[in-house]
Each structure stands twice: as C-alpha cells, then as structure tokens.
Amino acid sequence: MNILVINSGSSSLKYQLFKMPEKAPVCSGMAERIGIEGSFTKHTVYRNGEKFSMEEPGFIANHGEALKKVLALLTQGAYAVIASPDDIAAVGHRVVHGGEHFSGPTIITDKVKQQIKKLFSLAPLHNPVNYKCIEVAEQTFINARQIAVFDTAFHQTIPEQAYRYAIPESYYKEYGIRVYGFHGTSHKYVSEQAINWLDQKDSKIISIHLGNGCSITAIKNGQSIDTSMGFGPLSGLMMGTRSGDIDPSVIFHLMEHSGYTLAQLSNLVNKQSGLLGVGGSSDMRDIRKMVNEGNAAALLAIKLYAYRIKKFIGAYAAVLNGIDAIVFTAGVGENDSNMREAVCSELEYLGIELDPTLNTAYNGELKEINTAAAKVKILVIPTNEEYEIAHQCFGLLG
C-alpha cells in the first residue's frame, strides 16, 4: 500500500512516500521557504540501497503550489516513483492541533475539517496550512483516503489533574483552556521503540524531544500522563527561540510599566527568547561554537537549557514513581553528546549514570548509553514522525 505522508510547517512542506508495511521510504523530500525569497524543492529517491537526490530552486508562493510540485516530482522525470496520483492509496497529514476531539488517526471528512478549522486560533501558524494541504491533496489525489494524525492525540491520556490549570472551571468549559501537549507523534514513536528495547510493557519512560522546539513527556505503560508543553507550544523547556516557562508576572509588568503590546510580548517569548535570546543564536551548533570561543552568554544558555531539562526529569520521576528509561531524540537530543552528558550529570540518586564513551560514540541508530551498572536505561532514539504517521494510517485502514 502506497502511503504519502505530508508534514507541513508554516513555511515548509516535508513529505515521504512509504510502500507499507516497509519502514524504509521509497522517496522523501521537502519544499522550503514557501512564500519567501529563496524557495526550493529537494527530492530524494532510495533504490537498491542507494539514494539519488535532486534540488531545484524556484519561488513557491504557497503550500498549494508546493504540493503540486511534489506531485510532479513523484510522477515525472528520472526520479519518478509512481505512474499517477491513483497509485497513492492514502495521504497521511500531520495536523498540529486536534484539541479534545481526536485521540487517534482519523479519516478526514467535512466534519473533521470543520473541527480543524475551529482550532485555527490555537495553532495559527500550523493548523491553517495543514488544512490547506488537506484541501489540495483531496483535489490532487482524488482516489486516496485522506487521514489526519494529530500532534496532540498522544497526550489525550493525560489525567485531569495534570491537564487542568488552576483557574475557574468556566475557562476550561467555555474556552477549552487546558494542557494539550505537542510533539505527540514523536513521543509516541520513540516511547514504543523504547518499550520494545526494554522488552517490558509495564514501563516508566521519560521522553525528551530536543529540536528547535523542545518538550518532555512522562509515559507510563505506553501512555502519556504528563507533558511540558501546554495550551500552546510555548511552555516547559527552553527552546531555540521560545522562552519556555516564564512567570506571567513578567508579562504583566512589561505591559503595565513599559507599554508593551500583546504582539510585542508574543514576539518576545516566541521568537526572541530561548537560546537566541540568552546565547545569541537559535542553533545549538552555533552556541557550541561560541562557547568554544569563550562566549559567556552562550555558556549560560547551555547551562539554562540543561538545567530546565533536569528539573523536569526530577518532577516526572515523582509523577511516574520511578524511571525505567530516559530517551533523547530530535536534532539536539540525537546529535549533541555534550548536552546529553550535562543533562545526566549528578542524577545518580535516580539511578541515571551515563557512560561517556558510549555517549560520544553514538552512530545515529537506537543505542543504550548508560553504564552497565545503571538502574535506568539512557537511550538515544532517532525520531521518525513521518513513518509513525504512515504506520498509524496503515493500521487504521487495516
């Protein structure tokens, strides 16, 4: 069964084609800088253990145009992988916000689309473009089933005492203000990989997703029971440009005494803070380079970043009543051995002991990097959101 996975961001569209149940993709690619000068598409085909890539510059006005380019890449030229759109049985769409309505993969109907539209205000950068891609895919892959996989779905198992905020109940009932959590597709994928590795269904896992966006989730017996991102993707850990947790009094103070507008404050905590605000760059690789050059602000940024993660590990150890494994994933989690070491240092009382040699020898595949005597497994697991989406679609269609 050919399943095309579409993962669209505010200015990008990533895709992978899977011939399920095979895990390796047939092809993958992306359209970047959509609506921005310098747009380009990249398309990679995997054949007989080799990969063949092409990159094509050219302005891409919107996500609809990007998806049309994807269809052309799939069906035309030397890198074509299908004969026509009819070869696609299903299109799996990553949709960021599903609210309380969706707890699993969902076949897209007019009613589902209306629910996605209602949530535009909760994910204004993502849900509208997710919706647009659904509409274009419906017109492009006419005979394919369109399926939504929601980032929030995995966190629908969080109990009420963890997802409710300590404000009057009317705000929850009337406005839906509660913890929703994000990165659910990634946390679900790596936690299932960890459970298989541990070979125990009764498990207590802390999954740490560290990319430009960062989140940490407490997972008990395969179910999310708490997570650091909340009503939106701003709260919790320090991120590339987002502040993570901040005392709301800071917001009130800046509004009252410095005349900040809501737009300015949103820009401050979402786009000017985190690694960028403290250390001078949103990219951890740049921060590391600056640290090596003796930059004190960059060093502070790294210390803050690791400290926030350690605080959540302690909190989630309490919530879970113990830990069987912690999992590092996503760009920073998978590639920054120094950050893994900083996070795991001085956590021996929890049974977390990192092996420095195994840590620095990580090779890009699932690996255990704890000491032999450690009570808690430390795992590095490459996330694979696109495959997880395809896997859920395949399971839904049977």
Side-chain angles (χ1 to χ4, degrees):
M1 180 186 292
N2 287 327
I3 297 180
L4 177 66
V5 174
I6 295 174
N7 184 346
S8 54
S10 56
S11 62
S12 65
L13 188 153
K14 298 178 183 178
Y15 63 92
Q16 289 193 34
L17 175 62
F18 294 89
K19 190 174 182 64
M20 296 299 290
E22 296 296 324
K23 189 171 184 178
V26 174
C27 71
S28 65
M30 67 182 74
E32 289 281 7
R33 300 180 64 83
I34 296 172
I36 306 170
E37 187 178 346
S39 307
F40 68 92
T41 53
K42 185 176 182 180
H43 182 64
T44 301
V45 176
Y46 306 92
R47 291 174 180 161
N48 302 319
E50 296 185 75
K51 66 178 183 178
F52 307 88
S53 298
M54 62 161 293
E55 191 168 313
E56 183 178 285
F59 182 68
I60 306 170
N62 52 54
H63 285 75
E65 188 175 311
L67 197 51
K68 290 175 184 176
K69 282 184 174 288
V70 171
L71 175 60
L73 290 166
L74 294 174
T75 58
Q76 300 171 17
Y79 295 91
V81 290
I82 56 173
S84 78
D86 292 342
D87 291 338
I88 302 296
V91 181
H93 298 265
R94 178 201 176 208
V95 180
V96 166
H97 215 307
E100 291 187 318
H101 305 285
F102 305 105
S103 58
T106 304
I107 293 175
I108 296 170
T109 62
D110 287 341
K111 185 176 180 181
V112 170
K113 287 163 66 176
Q114 289 305 310
Q115 290 290 354
I116 293 171
K117 285 186 75 172
K118 287 180 181 179
L119 295 164
F120 277 10
S121 63
L122 298 187
L125 294 179
H126 293 91
N127 267 39
V129 296
N130 300 153
Y131 184 90
K132 179 62 177 177
C133 286
I134 289 169
E135 288 200 314
V136 176
E138 286 175 330
Q139 298 164 10
T140 306
F141 303 96
I142 297 171
N143 295 321
R145 305 299 294 270
Q146 306 292 328
I147 300 171
V149 176
F150 298 90
D151 256 10
T152 51
F154 181 58
H155 300 300
Q156 283 299 295
T157 52
I158 292 175
E160 188 174 20
Q161 69 267 23
Y163 74 68
R164 285 285 300 275
Y165 291 113
I167 57 177
E169 185 179 27
S170 60
Y171 289 89
Y172 167 59
K173 288 189 172 180
E174 293 177 30
Y175 305 109
I177 295 177
R178 53 157 286 177
V179 169
Y180 289 104
F182 299 89
H183 293 148
T185 306
S186 176
H187 287 297
K188 183 177 189 298
Y189 175 79
V190 298
S191 64
E192 288 176 349
Q193 299 296 303
I195 290 168
N196 290 336
W197 181 268
L198 295 170
D199 195 24
Q200 58 183 84
K201 290 185 178 180
D202 296 332
S203 57
K204 300 171 182 179
I205 294 168
I206 297 176
S207 170
I208 310 168
H209 179 108
L210 303 177
N212 189 50
C214 301
S215 62
I216 182 169
T217 298
I219 302 165
K220 187 173 184 179
N221 303 335
Q223 293 190 327
S224 172
I225 63 168
D226 205 348
T227 193
S228 58
M229 285 181 167
F231 180 68
L234 174 63
S235 64
L237 303 177
M238 177 178 172
M239 308 181 213
T241 63
R242 290 175 235 166
S243 65
D245 284 346
I246 187 170
D247 184 346
S249 300
V250 174
I251 305 297
F252 306 146
H253 179 85
L254 290 173
M255 290 180 71
E256 183 177 355
H257 298 288
S258 300
Y260 274 66
T261 66
L262 286 174
Q264 287 174 317
L265 289 166
S266 177
N267 194 54
L268 169 65
V269 295
N270 280 294
K271 298 181 180 179
Q272 298 177 339
S273 297
L275 287 174
L276 176 64
V278 179
S281 173
S282 62
D283 193 310
M284 184 63 80
R285 292 165 294 191
D286 294 338
I287 294 289
R288 288 288 179 198
K289 183 178 179 181
M290 288 188 281
V291 169
N292 292 335
E293 293 169 351
N295 187 306
L299 179 60
L300 175 61
I302 282 178
K303 288 182 176 179
L304 277 171
Y305 192 97
Y307 181 74
R308 293 283 186 91
I309 299 168
K310 291 177 77 162
K311 283 176 68 175
F312 270 94
I313 289 174
Y316 287 170
V319 168
L320 290 164
N321 190 26
I323 316 170
D324 293 314
I326 62 171
V327 177
F328 289 95
T329 194
V332 176
E334 294 170 31
N335 297 305
D336 194 322
S337 60
N338 289 321
M339 182 53 66
R340 294 194 296 264
E341 183 176 6
V343 169
C344 293
S345 68
E346 298 182 344
L347 292 181
E348 293 84 3
Y349 74 100
L350 289 175
I352 297 171
E353 298 179 29
L354 180 138
D355 184 309
T357 302
L358 293 176
N359 183 40
T360 55
Y362 176 67
N363 61 1
E365 299 178 354
L366 190 158
K367 187 171 183 179
E368 192 175 301
I369 59 170
N370 49 275
T371 64
K375 295 179 180 178
V376 175
K377 301 294 185 186
I378 306 172
L379 304 175
V380 187
I381 302 178
T383 192
N384 194 336
E385 291 174 287
E386 285 78 15
Y387 172 75
E388 177 61 31
I389 292 168
H391 177 67
Q392 291 190 39
C393 292
F394 187 63
L396 181 65
L397 296 176

